[in-house]
Amino acid sequence: MNPELGLFALILATCLAILQSVAPLFGSYSGRLPWMAAGKWLAAGQFVFVLLSFICLVVAFLTDDFTVSYVANNSNSLLPDIYKLTATWAGHEGSLLLWILTLAGWGMMVSVRCDKLPPELSARVLSVLGMVSVGFLLFILVTSNPFARILPFPPQDGADLNPLLQDVGMIFHPPVLYMGYVGFAVVFAFAIAALLGGQLDSAWARWVRPWTTAAWCFLTLGISLGSWWAYYELGWGGWWFWDPVENASLMPWLAGTALMHSLAVTEKRGLFKSWTLLLAIATFSLSLFGTFLVRSGVLTSVHAFASDPERGMFILAYLMVVVGASLALFAVRAPQMGSRITFSLLSRETLLLVNNILLAVSCATVLLGTMFPLLVDALDLGMISVGPPYFNALFVPQVLLLGLALGIGILLNWKSGSFSKLLHQVRWIALVSALGGVAFALFYAERFIVSEALAMAVVLWLVLTAGRDILDKTRNARQKMSFMASLQKLPASYLGMHLAHLGLALTIIGAAMTSGYSLQRDLRMSPGDTAWLGQYQFRFDGVTQMQGPNYVTNIGIITILDDQQQPIAVLQPEKRVYSVRGMPMTEAGIDPGLTRDLYVALGEPLGDDSWAVRLHVKPYVRLIWLGSIFMALGGLLAVCDKRYRIRLKKNKTNLKPGIALGGQV
Amino acid sequence: MKRWKLFLPLAFFLILCVLLYKGLFLENKTELPSALLNNPLPTFQLTTLGNPEQTVTREDVTGEVFLLNVWGSWCPTCRAEHPYLLGLQEQGVRIIGLNYKDDRTEAQQWLRHGGDPYQFNIFDPQGKLGLDLGVYGSPETFLVDKAGVIRYKHVGVVDNRVWQETLKPRYDALQKEAAP
């Protein structure tokens, strides 16, 4: 009964979504307020029914209802309860439902917060969100029903969850990532509404900025959670593989980052309007495109769900309608968005334009690299594979250039900057950064690596210019109060900006140090064997076998000693075999540290109690993820800026502070 | 801005869609392009992965039914497939590797670390044989019969389902065919 209830709720949600996409839009053109206001209730209703449907699926998993084919394929009675919960979004159907739930959730939040908007605008925004929803709801109902039953002969037990996914990363990574992906639907809807209404002013940009930044924060966290998960779960010691699906999440991130910066210009200066709209459409389109890549099976990837051309056709048709219509609307309406404001060549506007161009180019680079094998194949030009060398050669220099532009951009004024002032501000910083980078690469390791010197110079440049800017901004206040007190006087969004840029610097350090100075050895080790790697000694103390809840595991014990023979850590890498699928899995043993990770993976048994063992020392690898946490925190701080809240106070009676993000947006 | 320029994003997107549409049907790439199906394995002269001195040619591999598995240490999907191949090897399935566009040291390291399911590996750093075979991307697995004729090709990961449903029936049938 429960699965049927879930399906029924999903059908009801679809009906509400259809109404939501039609009624408010109709009302906005015919000037009928009740029709416009209906969008709010329809969005809330849609969310409630999708949530109900999702709960039904969760219940089916928790109660081991193997008559439901999706449950039977992704769960097992032996699976620990927490993984039964996460198995809900482990396959195509359930993750699609999670996607829809997230979309409905964002729609609900918009409906709660939209009272202060002009009624036409909020009606159109909700309508567009409804249309996006309808597409996905039809997709799940027509091609991917998660509640389909296997009757009359259900299997005795389920096929189990893919062991790769039986991990704490599975709890957070998909929901957070989806919050990011889908969150860009909000700014997309705002962009379409602005194009429909033919009006885009700085108030519009001010509405949109917190939504965009919030979605961006989630996407940042989601991507870095995925990277961290791959790092410790796949056991290869890498943190980014340029896998098509990773690229699919990176592209909207790059476009979204460009969008955030372009929106700043639109709000402050009323410029870049068409560009902002185009980026808003592009960002969400790239999210949809990522969905297509993952679910159609066009490209092979570790993430790919079972491929199915029928599903691929549906999403492609959907992409054509949504993105095609948006871009056509953009082409027709954008000329009305022109602005006649000018700015000089040396100004913050110019540098933000450079930022946008660099981000757009890097996004295109990733798109090209991801699509190239398909392109060459479709044109019958032969077979080409694009690997990490392509991406590293093109992407890394773009990031470094971006860092350079960033340092200048934050020091310059809006509208028109002074070259002599800039020169005065940066001459020492430039010198110190360049020398610092070279000195670092000279003294850190025996071999001089040019790219490391460049990366460190850019990091110094980023940090020093930011410091300079903060000192300049607090100069007057510091005469009256302490530095910390004067910092608190600065707007939250300004501090958030610097925090996020500092995060970028940290991530660059982590990536540069890890790729340049990691150490690695592959060894055959017998109990008692020791091996040196850098300044660490690894001692192999043998392997013991244990029984887990749904797997058998060989646990290796490796003691790490420093050069004084003092133990630093005991690592326990595992080699598991999951009983139901007979699938072996590697669990790396990691001793994490801010300055280095010691990372050990257990390979195959080689007879006589000896095992293949892979040892890594990864300097500063944690900074990659710490940096992204800083970026997300910076974004959060910006979202919390008073500027967005002052306007909310007027409408306090309508606020429901309990609604998740709502309290801060 | 010139108005026609505003249509560029739309035009670009439509081209992308055509590509994706073609991609959807290329996806039935588990089916081999008819040109190579039932044709003999291309001739080649390459070294083995284990020994740069040892050359290997078409004649060294043919004679028995085998799986030719195209892989590279740079390819995450191949690593995902790897454990299953180890299992197949234990069942006595003859697998010959084609180490495709890879670095010799890294490939050897990976096999030492992750286990070696291959009878031996053909080392193809420039992707010459891969090109002759029409490799789309790794991993791919070709099924070659006793006469050295390619009888089937699978693109993507070989897992239990693929093996049980498509490869194993064909592999078993070819085993029963008489040698030429």
mmCIF file of all heavy atoms in Angstrom, chain A residues 2-3 54-66 68-77 79-91 93-95 97 146-147 160-161:
data_model
loop_
_atom_site.group_PDB
_atom_site.id
_atom_site.type_symbol
_atom_site.label_atom_id
_atom_site.label_comp_id
_atom_site.label_asym_id
_atom_site.label_seq_id
_atom_site.Cartn_x
_atom_site.Cartn_y
_atom_site.Cartn_z
ATOM 1 N N ASN A 2 1.924 1.196 0.807
ATOM 2 C CA ASN A 2 2.802 2.356 0.957
ATOM 3 C C ASN A 2 3.401 2.850 -0.373
ATOM 4 O O ASN A 2 3.339 4.040 -0.673
ATOM 5 C CB ASN A 2 3.859 2.014 2.014
ATOM 6 C CG ASN A 2 5.026 2.941 2.003
ATOM 7 O OD1 ASN A 2 4.860 4.148 1.994
ATOM 8 N ND2 ASN A 2 6.217 2.381 1.968
ATOM 9 N N PRO A 3 3.953 1.948 -1.205
ATOM 10 C CA PRO A 3 4.502 2.446 -2.478
ATOM 11 C C PRO A 3 3.441 3.089 -3.357
ATOM 12 O O PRO A 3 3.727 4.075 -4.046
ATOM 13 C CB PRO A 3 5.052 1.176 -3.140
ATOM 14 C CG PRO A 3 5.277 0.231 -2.029
ATOM 15 C CD PRO A 3 4.227 0.509 -1.002
ATOM 16 N N PHE A 54 8.580 11.025 -1.090
ATOM 17 C CA PHE A 54 9.953 10.673 -0.717
ATOM 18 C C PHE A 54 9.957 9.854 0.580
ATOM 19 O O PHE A 54 10.667 8.855 0.691
ATOM 20 C CB PHE A 54 10.782 11.953 -0.545
ATOM 21 C CG PHE A 54 12.245 11.707 -0.372
ATOM 22 C CD1 PHE A 54 13.058 11.427 -1.461
ATOM 23 C CD2 PHE A 54 12.825 11.738 0.889
ATOM 24 C CE1 PHE A 54 14.405 11.191 -1.301
ATOM 25 C CE2 PHE A 54 14.177 11.497 1.050
ATOM 26 C CZ PHE A 54 14.972 11.228 -0.047
ATOM 27 N N ILE A 55 9.121 10.281 1.531
ATOM 28 C CA ILE A 55 9.046 9.539 2.794
ATOM 29 C C ILE A 55 8.564 8.106 2.539
ATOM 30 O O ILE A 55 9.081 7.151 3.125
ATOM 31 C CB ILE A 55 8.123 10.279 3.797
ATOM 32 C CG1 ILE A 55 8.800 11.581 4.229
ATOM 33 C CG2 ILE A 55 7.825 9.414 5.006
ATOM 34 C CD1 ILE A 55 7.928 12.486 5.068
ATOM 35 N N CYS A 56 7.610 7.957 1.625
ATOM 36 C CA CYS A 56 7.135 6.613 1.295
ATOM 37 C C CYS A 56 8.282 5.736 0.793
ATOM 38 O O CYS A 56 8.380 4.562 1.142
ATOM 39 C CB CYS A 56 6.053 6.670 0.221
ATOM 40 S SG CYS A 56 4.503 7.308 0.848
ATOM 41 N N LEU A 57 9.155 6.321 -0.031
ATOM 42 C CA LEU A 57 10.276 5.543 -0.547
ATOM 43 C C LEU A 57 11.239 5.192 0.576
ATOM 44 O O LEU A 57 11.744 4.060 0.653
ATOM 45 C CB LEU A 57 10.992 6.328 -1.657
ATOM 46 C CG LEU A 57 12.015 5.522 -2.463
ATOM 47 C CD1 LEU A 57 11.352 4.340 -3.137
ATOM 48 C CD2 LEU A 57 12.706 6.387 -3.503
ATOM 49 N N VAL A 58 11.495 6.146 1.466
ATOM 50 C CA VAL A 58 12.372 5.879 2.604
ATOM 51 C C VAL A 58 11.799 4.740 3.453
ATOM 52 O O VAL A 58 12.514 3.807 3.848
ATOM 53 C CB VAL A 58 12.560 7.149 3.464
ATOM 54 C CG1 VAL A 58 13.301 6.817 4.755
ATOM 55 C CG2 VAL A 58 13.315 8.211 2.688
ATOM 56 N N VAL A 59 10.473 4.798 3.690
ATOM 57 C CA VAL A 59 9.838 3.741 4.482
ATOM 58 C C VAL A 59 9.995 2.389 3.796
ATOM 59 O O VAL A 59 10.304 1.378 4.433
ATOM 60 C CB VAL A 59 8.348 4.087 4.721
ATOM 61 C CG1 VAL A 59 7.605 2.897 5.296
ATOM 62 C CG2 VAL A 59 8.237 5.280 5.648
ATOM 63 N N ALA A 60 9.825 2.374 2.466
ATOM 64 C CA ALA A 60 9.988 1.116 1.736
ATOM 65 C C ALA A 60 11.381 0.546 1.956
ATOM 66 O O ALA A 60 11.565 -0.666 2.097
ATOM 67 C CB ALA A 60 9.723 1.327 0.255
ATOM 68 N N PHE A 61 12.385 1.403 1.994
ATOM 69 C CA PHE A 61 13.753 0.940 2.239
ATOM 70 C C PHE A 61 13.923 0.447 3.664
ATOM 71 O O PHE A 61 14.487 -0.615 3.902
ATOM 72 C CB PHE A 61 14.762 2.058 1.942
ATOM 73 C CG PHE A 61 15.254 2.037 0.533
ATOM 74 C CD1 PHE A 61 14.669 2.837 -0.436
ATOM 75 C CD2 PHE A 61 16.302 1.226 0.156
ATOM 76 C CE1 PHE A 61 15.105 2.817 -1.742
ATOM 77 C CE2 PHE A 61 16.761 1.192 -1.152
ATOM 78 C CZ PHE A 61 16.153 1.993 -2.099
ATOM 79 N N LEU A 62 13.420 1.242 4.628
ATOM 80 C CA LEU A 62 13.649 0.876 6.030
ATOM 81 C C LEU A 62 12.900 -0.402 6.390
ATOM 82 O O LEU A 62 13.326 -1.138 7.284
ATOM 83 C CB LEU A 62 13.219 2.029 6.950
ATOM 84 C CG LEU A 62 14.099 3.279 6.855
ATOM 85 C CD1 LEU A 62 13.594 4.365 7.783
ATOM 86 C CD2 LEU A 62 15.563 2.945 7.176
ATOM 87 N N THR A 63 11.795 -0.681 5.696
ATOM 88 C CA THR A 63 11.032 -1.890 6.032
ATOM 89 C C THR A 63 11.387 -3.055 5.104
ATOM 90 O O THR A 63 10.694 -4.064 5.076
ATOM 91 C CB THR A 63 9.522 -1.624 5.935
ATOM 92 O OG1 THR A 63 9.248 -1.109 4.623
ATOM 93 C CG2 THR A 63 9.060 -0.606 6.966
ATOM 94 N N ASP A 64 12.476 -2.917 4.329
ATOM 95 C CA ASP A 64 12.912 -3.999 3.433
ATOM 96 C C ASP A 64 11.793 -4.497 2.531
ATOM 97 O O ASP A 64 11.544 -5.696 2.433
ATOM 98 C CB ASP A 64 13.470 -5.181 4.242
ATOM 99 C CG ASP A 64 14.761 -4.813 4.937
ATOM 100 O OD1 ASP A 64 15.495 -3.964 4.383
ATOM 101 O OD2 ASP A 64 15.033 -5.361 6.016
ATOM 102 N N ASP A 65 11.115 -3.576 1.875
ATOM 103 C CA ASP A 65 10.020 -3.975 0.995
ATOM 104 C C ASP A 65 10.584 -4.357 -0.379
ATOM 105 O O ASP A 65 10.639 -3.544 -1.295
ATOM 106 C CB ASP A 65 9.035 -2.801 0.873
ATOM 107 C CG ASP A 65 7.789 -3.201 0.113
ATOM 108 O OD1 ASP A 65 7.784 -4.306 -0.462
ATOM 109 O OD2 ASP A 65 6.827 -2.427 0.116
ATOM 110 N N PHE A 66 11.003 -5.627 -0.501
ATOM 111 C CA PHE A 66 11.669 -6.030 -1.747
ATOM 112 C C PHE A 66 10.695 -6.310 -2.881
ATOM 113 O O PHE A 66 11.106 -6.734 -3.964
ATOM 114 C CB PHE A 66 12.570 -7.242 -1.498
ATOM 115 C CG PHE A 66 13.685 -6.934 -0.541
ATOM 116 C CD1 PHE A 66 13.849 -7.676 0.623
ATOM 117 C CD2 PHE A 66 14.564 -5.891 -0.784
ATOM 118 C CE1 PHE A 66 14.867 -7.381 1.515
ATOM 119 C CE2 PHE A 66 15.581 -5.590 0.102
ATOM 120 C CZ PHE A 66 15.727 -6.334 1.251
ATOM 121 N N VAL A 68 9.255 -3.867 -4.094
ATOM 122 C CA VAL A 68 9.535 -2.676 -4.898
ATOM 123 C C VAL A 68 10.863 -2.901 -5.608
ATOM 124 O O VAL A 68 11.880 -3.139 -4.965
ATOM 125 C CB VAL A 68 9.604 -1.418 -4.018
ATOM 126 C CG1 VAL A 68 9.982 -0.208 -4.841
ATOM 127 C CG2 VAL A 68 8.285 -1.200 -3.309
ATOM 128 N N SER A 69 10.844 -2.844 -6.921
ATOM 129 C CA SER A 69 12.024 -3.261 -7.671
ATOM 130 C C SER A 69 13.233 -2.371 -7.368
ATOM 131 O O SER A 69 14.361 -2.855 -7.271
ATOM 132 C CB SER A 69 11.678 -3.310 -9.154
ATOM 133 O OG SER A 69 12.466 -2.454 -9.897
ATOM 134 N N TYR A 70 12.992 -1.077 -7.164
ATOM 135 C CA TYR A 70 14.115 -0.178 -6.871
ATOM 136 C C TYR A 70 14.771 -0.531 -5.534
ATOM 137 O O TYR A 70 15.995 -0.509 -5.399
ATOM 138 C CB TYR A 70 13.618 1.274 -6.861
ATOM 139 C CG TYR A 70 14.669 2.291 -6.539
ATOM 140 C CD1 TYR A 70 15.720 2.541 -7.416
ATOM 141 C CD2 TYR A 70 14.627 3.014 -5.347
ATOM 142 C CE1 TYR A 70 16.683 3.465 -7.120
ATOM 143 C CE2 TYR A 70 15.593 3.948 -5.047
ATOM 144 C CZ TYR A 70 16.623 4.170 -5.930
ATOM 145 O OH TYR A 70 17.586 5.089 -5.626
ATOM 146 N N VAL A 71 13.945 -0.899 -4.541
ATOM 147 C CA VAL A 71 14.484 -1.308 -3.242
ATOM 148 C C VAL A 71 15.262 -2.608 -3.399
ATOM 149 O O VAL A 71 16.378 -2.754 -2.889
ATOM 150 C CB VAL A 71 13.352 -1.478 -2.207
ATOM 151 C CG1 VAL A 71 13.917 -1.925 -0.870
ATOM 152 C CG2 VAL A 71 12.575 -0.184 -2.041
ATOM 153 N N ALA A 72 14.678 -3.549 -4.141
ATOM 154 C CA ALA A 72 15.332 -4.848 -4.306
ATOM 155 C C ALA A 72 16.690 -4.700 -4.991
ATOM 156 O O ALA A 72 17.618 -5.444 -4.702
ATOM 157 C CB ALA A 72 14.438 -5.779 -5.120
ATOM 158 N N ASN A 73 16.819 -3.729 -5.878
ATOM 159 C CA ASN A 73 18.083 -3.563 -6.594
ATOM 160 C C ASN A 73 19.135 -2.820 -5.801
ATOM 161 O O ASN A 73 20.314 -2.863 -6.135
ATOM 162 C CB ASN A 73 17.855 -2.807 -7.898
ATOM 163 C CG ASN A 73 17.222 -3.680 -8.934
ATOM 164 O OD1 ASN A 73 17.480 -4.878 -8.968
ATOM 165 N ND2 ASN A 73 16.366 -3.103 -9.748
ATOM 166 N N ASN A 74 18.739 -2.098 -4.764
ATOM 167 C CA ASN A 74 19.697 -1.219 -4.093
ATOM 168 C C ASN A 74 19.813 -1.432 -2.609
ATOM 169 O O ASN A 74 20.459 -0.652 -1.925
ATOM 170 C CB ASN A 74 19.323 0.240 -4.344
ATOM 171 C CG ASN A 74 19.582 0.650 -5.775
ATOM 172 O OD1 ASN A 74 20.720 0.792 -6.186
ATOM 173 N ND2 ASN A 74 18.522 0.790 -6.536
ATOM 174 N N SER A 75 19.148 -2.469 -2.067
ATOM 175 C CA SER A 75 19.228 -2.657 -0.627
ATOM 176 C C SER A 75 19.296 -4.142 -0.321
ATOM 177 O O SER A 75 19.200 -4.991 -1.212
ATOM 178 C CB SER A 75 18.019 -2.019 0.051
ATOM 179 O OG SER A 75 18.152 -2.135 1.444
ATOM 180 N N ASN A 76 19.466 -4.444 0.937
ATOM 181 C CA ASN A 76 19.547 -5.820 1.387
ATOM 182 C C ASN A 76 19.191 -5.834 2.850
ATOM 183 O O ASN A 76 19.445 -4.864 3.562
ATOM 184 C CB ASN A 76 20.982 -6.341 1.164
ATOM 185 C CG ASN A 76 21.115 -7.796 1.536
ATOM 186 O OD1 ASN A 76 21.297 -8.124 2.714
ATOM 187 N ND2 ASN A 76 21.002 -8.658 0.580
ATOM 188 N N SER A 77 18.618 -6.952 3.333
ATOM 189 C CA SER A 77 18.165 -6.961 4.718
ATOM 190 C C SER A 77 19.325 -6.818 5.700
ATOM 191 O O SER A 77 19.146 -6.377 6.827
ATOM 192 C CB SER A 77 17.375 -8.232 5.000
ATOM 193 O OG SER A 77 18.139 -9.346 4.616
ATOM 194 N N LEU A 79 21.853 -4.839 5.319
ATOM 195 C CA LEU A 79 22.449 -3.504 5.230
ATOM 196 C C LEU A 79 22.155 -2.712 6.511
ATOM 197 O O LEU A 79 21.034 -2.712 6.993
ATOM 198 C CB LEU A 79 21.823 -2.795 4.024
ATOM 199 C CG LEU A 79 22.526 -1.575 3.450
ATOM 200 C CD1 LEU A 79 23.882 -1.956 2.912
ATOM 201 C CD2 LEU A 79 21.667 -0.987 2.338
ATOM 202 N N PRO A 80 23.160 -2.042 7.092
ATOM 203 C CA PRO A 80 22.897 -1.228 8.285
ATOM 204 C C PRO A 80 21.833 -0.156 7.971
ATOM 205 O O PRO A 80 21.765 0.331 6.835
ATOM 206 C CB PRO A 80 24.251 -0.567 8.575
ATOM 207 C CG PRO A 80 25.260 -1.440 7.919
ATOM 208 C CD PRO A 80 24.593 -2.045 6.734
ATOM 209 N N ASP A 81 21.048 0.202 8.984
ATOM 210 C CA ASP A 81 19.905 1.090 8.753
ATOM 211 C C ASP A 81 20.278 2.416 8.100
ATOM 212 O O ASP A 81 19.569 2.912 7.237
ATOM 213 C CB ASP A 81 19.173 1.367 10.076
ATOM 214 C CG ASP A 81 18.188 0.249 10.382
ATOM 215 O OD1 ASP A 81 17.934 -0.565 9.455
ATOM 216 O OD2 ASP A 81 17.703 0.172 11.518
ATOM 217 N N ILE A 82 21.410 2.973 8.516
ATOM 218 C CA ILE A 82 21.763 4.283 7.976
ATOM 219 C C ILE A 82 21.969 4.184 6.466
ATOM 220 O O ILE A 82 21.589 5.075 5.710
ATOM 221 C CB ILE A 82 23.023 4.866 8.689
ATOM 222 C CG1 ILE A 82 23.374 6.232 8.133
ATOM 223 C CG2 ILE A 82 24.228 3.960 8.584
ATOM 224 C CD1 ILE A 82 22.410 7.321 8.488
ATOM 225 N N TYR A 83 22.517 3.053 6.005
ATOM 226 C CA TYR A 83 22.717 2.898 4.559
ATOM 227 C C TYR A 83 21.431 2.532 3.847
ATOM 228 O O TYR A 83 21.295 2.758 2.650
ATOM 229 C CB TYR A 83 23.830 1.891 4.274
ATOM 230 C CG TYR A 83 25.156 2.357 4.796
ATOM 231 C CD1 TYR A 83 26.005 1.533 5.508
ATOM 232 C CD2 TYR A 83 25.561 3.680 4.594
ATOM 233 C CE1 TYR A 83 27.211 1.982 6.010
ATOM 234 C CE2 TYR A 83 26.754 4.138 5.091
ATOM 235 C CZ TYR A 83 27.577 3.291 5.798
ATOM 236 O OH TYR A 83 28.766 3.749 6.286
ATOM 237 N N LYS A 84 20.474 1.936 4.610
ATOM 238 C CA LYS A 84 19.160 1.735 3.987
ATOM 239 C C LYS A 84 18.554 3.095 3.671
ATOM 240 O O LYS A 84 17.927 3.293 2.640
ATOM 241 C CB LYS A 84 18.240 0.965 4.930
ATOM 242 C CG LYS A 84 18.542 -0.515 4.941
ATOM 243 C CD LYS A 84 17.600 -1.256 5.841
ATOM 244 C CE LYS A 84 18.030 -2.709 5.919
ATOM 245 N NZ LYS A 84 17.328 -3.423 6.983
ATOM 246 N N LEU A 85 18.762 4.044 4.595
ATOM 247 C CA LEU A 85 18.268 5.404 4.356
ATOM 248 C C LEU A 85 18.960 6.021 3.142
ATOM 249 O O LEU A 85 18.315 6.540 2.229
ATOM 250 C CB LEU A 85 18.505 6.254 5.601
ATOM 251 C CG LEU A 85 18.165 7.730 5.465
ATOM 252 C CD1 LEU A 85 16.666 7.915 5.358
ATOM 253 C CD2 LEU A 85 18.709 8.529 6.639
ATOM 254 N N THR A 86 20.287 5.937 3.112
ATOM 255 C CA THR A 86 21.002 6.602 2.009
ATOM 256 C C THR A 86 20.797 5.864 0.695
ATOM 257 O O THR A 86 20.917 6.454 -0.364
ATOM 258 C CB THR A 86 22.510 6.694 2.281
ATOM 259 O OG1 THR A 86 23.033 5.384 2.414
ATOM 260 C CG2 THR A 86 22.799 7.484 3.530
ATOM 261 N N ALA A 87 20.492 4.562 0.771
ATOM 262 C CA ALA A 87 20.239 3.813 -0.471
ATOM 263 C C ALA A 87 19.059 4.416 -1.221
ATOM 264 O O ALA A 87 18.928 4.234 -2.427
ATOM 265 C CB ALA A 87 19.979 2.351 -0.159
ATOM 266 N N THR A 88 18.222 5.159 -0.492
ATOM 267 C CA THR A 88 17.079 5.816 -1.135
ATOM 268 C C THR A 88 17.529 6.631 -2.345
ATOM 269 O O THR A 88 16.864 6.681 -3.354
ATOM 270 C CB THR A 88 16.372 6.749 -0.135
ATOM 271 O OG1 THR A 88 16.171 6.027 1.069
ATOM 272 C CG2 THR A 88 15.053 7.230 -0.676
ATOM 273 N N TRP A 89 18.685 7.294 -2.220
ATOM 274 C CA TRP A 89 19.138 8.097 -3.359
ATOM 275 C C TRP A 89 20.389 7.510 -4.025
ATOM 276 O O TRP A 89 21.178 8.213 -4.626
ATOM 277 C CB TRP A 89 19.364 9.554 -2.950
ATOM 278 C CG TRP A 89 20.242 9.774 -1.761
ATOM 279 C CD1 TRP A 89 21.600 9.720 -1.739
ATOM 280 C CD2 TRP A 89 19.833 10.123 -0.434
ATOM 281 N NE1 TRP A 89 22.059 10.006 -0.493
ATOM 282 C CE2 TRP A 89 20.998 10.260 0.339
ATOM 283 C CE3 TRP A 89 18.597 10.340 0.175
ATOM 284 C CZ2 TRP A 89 20.960 10.594 1.698
ATOM 285 C CZ3 TRP A 89 18.572 10.665 1.516
ATOM 286 C CH2 TRP A 89 19.738 10.792 2.262
ATOM 287 N N ALA A 90 20.535 6.180 -3.915
ATOM 288 C CA ALA A 90 21.741 5.576 -4.481
ATOM 289 C C ALA A 90 21.590 5.232 -5.949
ATOM 290 O O ALA A 90 22.580 5.076 -6.651
ATOM 291 C CB ALA A 90 22.112 4.324 -3.700
ATOM 292 N N GLY A 91 20.373 5.092 -6.426
ATOM 293 C CA GLY A 91 20.189 4.716 -7.820
ATOM 294 C C GLY A 91 19.546 5.830 -8.619
ATOM 295 O O GLY A 91 19.261 6.912 -8.080
ATOM 296 N N GLU A 93 16.463 6.205 -9.997
ATOM 297 C CA GLU A 93 15.091 6.624 -9.692
ATOM 298 C C GLU A 93 15.035 7.452 -8.404
ATOM 299 O O GLU A 93 14.437 8.526 -8.359
ATOM 300 C CB GLU A 93 14.167 5.410 -9.566
ATOM 301 C CG GLU A 93 13.895 4.692 -10.875
ATOM 302 C CD GLU A 93 14.933 3.625 -11.176
ATOM 303 O OE1 GLU A 93 15.995 3.607 -10.509
ATOM 304 O OE2 GLU A 93 14.701 2.806 -12.076
ATOM 305 N N GLY A 94 15.664 6.914 -7.344
ATOM 306 C CA GLY A 94 15.590 7.584 -6.056
ATOM 307 C C GLY A 94 16.332 8.909 -6.047
ATOM 308 O O GLY A 94 15.880 9.891 -5.441
ATOM 309 N N SER A 95 17.474 8.958 -6.745
ATOM 310 C CA SER A 95 18.219 10.215 -6.746
ATOM 311 C C SER A 95 17.466 11.264 -7.545
ATOM 312 O O SER A 95 17.524 12.456 -7.247
ATOM 313 C CB SER A 95 19.633 10.016 -7.289
ATOM 314 O OG SER A 95 19.574 9.621 -8.622
ATOM 315 N N LEU A 97 14.239 11.415 -7.542
ATOM 316 C CA LEU A 97 13.214 11.880 -6.612
ATOM 317 C C LEU A 97 13.811 12.885 -5.627
ATOM 318 O O LEU A 97 13.186 13.890 -5.288
ATOM 319 C CB LEU A 97 12.602 10.685 -5.872
ATOM 320 C CG LEU A 97 11.371 10.988 -5.015
ATOM 321 C CD1 LEU A 97 10.268 11.617 -5.840
ATOM 322 C CD2 LEU A 97 10.856 9.720 -4.342
ATOM 323 N N PRO A 146 10.084 5.048 -9.256
ATOM 324 C CA PRO A 146 10.816 4.349 -8.199
ATOM 325 C C PRO A 146 9.945 3.357 -7.432
ATOM 326 O O PRO A 146 10.451 2.554 -6.665
ATOM 327 C CB PRO A 146 11.283 5.477 -7.267
ATOM 328 C CG PRO A 146 10.364 6.604 -7.533
ATOM 329 C CD PRO A 146 9.849 6.454 -8.928
ATOM 330 N N PHE A 147 8.625 3.430 -7.632
ATOM 331 C CA PHE A 147 7.730 2.584 -6.836
ATOM 332 C C PHE A 147 7.267 1.346 -7.601
ATOM 333 O O PHE A 147 6.396 0.625 -7.131
ATOM 334 C CB PHE A 147 6.510 3.396 -6.381
ATOM 335 C CG PHE A 147 6.880 4.547 -5.492
ATOM 336 C CD1 PHE A 147 6.870 5.849 -5.958
ATOM 337 C CD2 PHE A 147 7.266 4.322 -4.173
ATOM 338 C CE1 PHE A 147 7.226 6.910 -5.136
ATOM 339 C CE2 PHE A 147 7.621 5.386 -3.345
ATOM 340 C CZ PHE A 147 7.595 6.681 -3.837
ATOM 341 N N ASP A 160 21.609 -5.701 -2.711
ATOM 342 C CA ASP A 160 22.538 -4.931 -1.893
ATOM 343 C C ASP A 160 22.957 -3.624 -2.558
ATOM 344 O O ASP A 160 22.946 -3.490 -3.771
ATOM 345 C CB ASP A 160 23.786 -5.742 -1.530
ATOM 346 C CG ASP A 160 24.417 -5.232 -0.227
ATOM 347 O OD1 ASP A 160 23.813 -4.318 0.379
ATOM 348 O OD2 ASP A 160 25.463 -5.742 0.175
ATOM 349 N N LEU A 161 23.324 -2.706 -1.695
ATOM 350 C CA LEU A 161 23.810 -1.405 -2.150
ATOM 351 C C LEU A 161 25.246 -1.566 -2.619
ATOM 352 O O LEU A 161 26.025 -2.272 -1.997
ATOM 353 C CB LEU A 161 23.734 -0.428 -0.975
ATOM 354 C CG LEU A 161 24.225 0.993 -1.182
ATOM 355 C CD1 LEU A 161 23.407 1.686 -2.251
ATOM 356 C CD2 LEU A 161 24.125 1.768 0.118
#
